[in-house]
Amino acid sequence: MNIGRAALAAVRGLGLALLAMVGSLVSFIFSVVFMALSLVGVGLFVTPVVTAAARSYMGLRRRLARDWFGVEIETPYRRKPEFQSGVLGVLERYRWIMKDPATYRDLLWMITDATAGFAMAIFAFALLFYGPYGWVLAAGLWYPIVHADGGDWYTFVHVTGFGSAMLAGLMGFVYAGLGIWLTPLIMKAHARLDASLLGPTHERELEMRVERLTETRSDALDTQAAELRRIERDLHDGAQARLVAMGMNLGAIEHLLERDPEKARKLLSEARESSSKALTELRDLVRGIHPPVLAERGLGDAVRALAMASPLTTEVSVDLPGVLEAPVESAAYFAVSEVLTNAAKHSGAQRVWLDLRHENGMLRIMITDDGQGGADMSGGTGLRGIERRLGTFDGVLALNSPAGGPTIVTMELPCALTTPRR
């Protein structure tokens, strides 16, 4: 298994070495040349195009670092504003690119990747496959080499005959062992080198956090305003209307009680029915604001209740050794409810697996269904709404839904646990 992992890392290293020579070096040359040509005007128009292509390439490298070596690299670029049309828009775009510190860190990464990154990737590839070359020499390749060229060097072993070839073969095992051990580590270090330059600086991380908090605060205010409007509408059209009708019926009953007891009894029955419906609507309204099961039983049991109410066969795994804050519980509950509803309506699934746990200061929720897949964050407002709700708490939502399924929705909320439930 380690051999396979090392071989895969070595092959990926070779691929990154080729990308460094073709992508990073070429991008660096074009970027520097057209930035320099800005002095004569040509670069003002071409630099934004070259920079956009370079950033797309670096986006690929970030994805490769994540998918191949498990190193997540956040995109550091400043948000793209709205540009005017015409020449003024071109100048604004150029100014936006040149004022972004990430532009110059990208240039530093390009030349670093084409030199140090290339050397690391090639070394990782060569180290693993240099060992088998020693075995080939020992197996008989030494003979034609000695007779044709007088010998060959296998690092510090001068192969001039059978004995030295056998020593090269033994050394091959040493290099193979080192390659199996070091190659994955070298490529992991290569990915971290990429992250040190392709990721945001500490200052940029703080700026991005402020931007995110500003955005989520705005979303939270909009959501709250919409929720208040919904509550007001539901009260006005539902319970309030029934209570008004009930009051009118009670007034009529008061006048009819002596003159027409039978009609008063009928109106009293209607008033009782209206009060029952108003109470049901108020309970539904309260449940939509903060379900009582959350306050009484906590998030784990509330999610189990959602699973039992779902038309899909749902398996639930909960590992919450404590109590979450009420706002976090509410956000997580409604997020799970929305995802389960979407799965039942749109996925064509039969089964759902829900995993809910708290670890490393993070509430993690993973919901997997066996449906047809193809879900898209831009396909509707449901998942976007969940993302905005979680964003209020600095949480995130990730969607993985290839065509044919399965669909995996992962949600994370930073939070702390308090005293365990008894």
Side-chain angles (χ1 to χ4, degrees):
M1 184 174 181
N2 289 335
I3 297 175
R5 186 165 68 96
L8 181 59
V11 172
R12 287 172 172 173
L14 178 62
L16 291 182
L18 296 175
L19 278 176
M21 286 293 98
V22 176
S24 302
L25 187 58
V26 171
S27 296
F28 177 79
I29 293 171
F30 272 78
S31 298
V32 170
V33 167
F34 283 107
M35 284 181 183
L37 288 175
S38 301
L39 298 174
V40 295
V42 177
L44 298 176
F45 297 89
V46 183
T47 296
V49 178
V50 173
T51 302
R55 289 184 175 184
S56 296
Y57 165 67
M58 284 175 277
L60 168 65
R61 294 297 298 270
R62 291 186 185 95
R63 290 192 297 273
L64 292 180
R66 180 196 63 204
D67 298 341
W68 285 3
F69 309 111
V71 176
E72 193 75 32
I73 305 176
E74 195 169 1
T75 302
Y77 307 120
R78 289 179 176 173
R79 186 170 299 179
K80 185 177 180 180
E82 292 291 331
F83 300 115
Q84 300 181 50
S85 58
V87 177
L88 285 178
V90 171
L91 295 176
E92 288 176 352
R93 189 183 301 271
Y94 177 82
R95 184 169 177 269
W96 167 66
I97 289 171
M98 299 305 292
K99 289 189 68 174
D100 191 345
T103 299
Y104 306 99
R105 286 173 58 82
D106 287 347
L107 289 174
L108 179 59
W109 173 81
M110 291 176 202
I111 194 62
T112 302
D113 187 57
T115 52
F118 173 81
M120 290 175 68
I122 282 294
F123 180 71
F125 174 78
L127 180 62
L128 182 66
F129 291 101
Y130 194 56
Y133 177 62
W135 305 337
V136 172
L137 284 173
L141 183 62
W142 64 272
Y143 186 81
I145 290 177
V146 168
H147 282 273
D149 300 322
D152 191 13
W153 283 93
Y154 187 72
T155 58
F156 57 83
V157 177
H158 191 196
V159 179
T160 58
F162 178 76
S164 55
M166 291 301 104
L167 181 57
L170 292 176
M171 286 297 300
F173 285 100
V174 175
Y175 285 117
L178 286 174
I180 292 171
W181 173 46
L182 288 177
T183 296
L185 299 178
I186 293 171
M187 294 314 302
K188 188 85 168 182
H190 186 285
R192 287 175 178 153
L193 174 64
D194 290 345
S196 68
L197 293 173
L198 286 180
T201 61
H202 179 65
E203 291 77 11
R204 179 57 185 149
E205 285 180 344
L206 292 178
E207 289 179 6
M208 292 168 66
R209 182 168 177 80
V210 170
E211 291 172 1
R212 178 173 174 79
L213 290 176
T214 302
E215 182 179 347
T216 55
R217 179 180 179 274
S218 176
D219 287 338
L221 292 175
D222 292 343
T223 301
Q224 185 182 33
E227 188 71 8
L228 288 174
R229 287 194 297 270
R230 181 188 69 82
I231 293 171
E232 182 182 7
R233 184 178 62 252
D234 290 348
L235 284 173
H236 182 273
D237 296 342
Q240 179 180 328
R242 294 189 185 281
L243 290 173
V244 169
M246 186 172 65
M248 295 175 63
N249 284 341
L250 289 175
I253 290 169
E254 187 177 2
H255 290 88
L256 293 172
L257 195 58
E258 295 182 359
R259 291 185 302 162
D260 193 346
E262 186 64 30
K263 189 171 182 180
R265 192 178 297 109
K266 182 177 179 182
L267 290 176
L268 190 61
S269 175
E270 291 178 2
R272 186 186 303 111
E273 183 178 353
S274 293
S275 69
S276 176
K277 290 181 178 178
L279 181 60
T280 300
E281 289 175 353
L282 286 172
R283 284 173 175 168
D284 291 340
L285 185 62
V286 170
R287 192 175 294 111
I289 299 171
H290 187 77
V293 68
L294 276 177
E296 296 168 4
R297 304 292 298 277
L299 181 61
D301 286 339
V303 167
R304 290 189 183 98
L306 285 175
M308 292 176 63
S310 174
L312 305 177
T313 302
T314 306
E315 298 181 17
V316 180
S317 173
V318 176
D319 183 11
L320 293 177
V323 182
L324 301 168
E325 295 179 352
V328 174
E329 282 192 327
S330 180
Y333 174 86
F334 286 110
V336 171
S337 176
E338 181 71 21
V339 173
L340 290 178
T341 300
N342 286 347
K345 286 183 177 179
H346 309 299
S347 71
Q350 300 297 320
R351 300 182 68 86
V352 175
W353 294 266
L354 194 156
D355 183 75
L356 178 70
R357 64 183 62 252
H358 185 277
E359 55 187 10
N360 300 324
M362 195 78 67
L363 175 66
R364 289 186 171 89
I365 307 170
M366 187 166 69
I367 303 175
T368 307
D369 68 58
D370 62 352
Q372 61 195 2
D376 187 359
M377 291 285 288
S378 61
T381 59
L383 291 175
R384 284 294 183 191
I386 296 173
E387 188 177 40
R388 287 194 299 270
R389 182 188 289 269
L390 299 181
T392 306
F393 301 89
D394 211 14
V396 295
L397 180 147
L399 174 67
N400 182 19
S401 183
T407 295
I408 303 174
V409 178
T410 304
M411 296 172 280
E412 292 188 348
L413 279 163
C415 59
L417 288 178
T418 57
T419 307
R421 295 187 183 275
R422 300 186 181 275

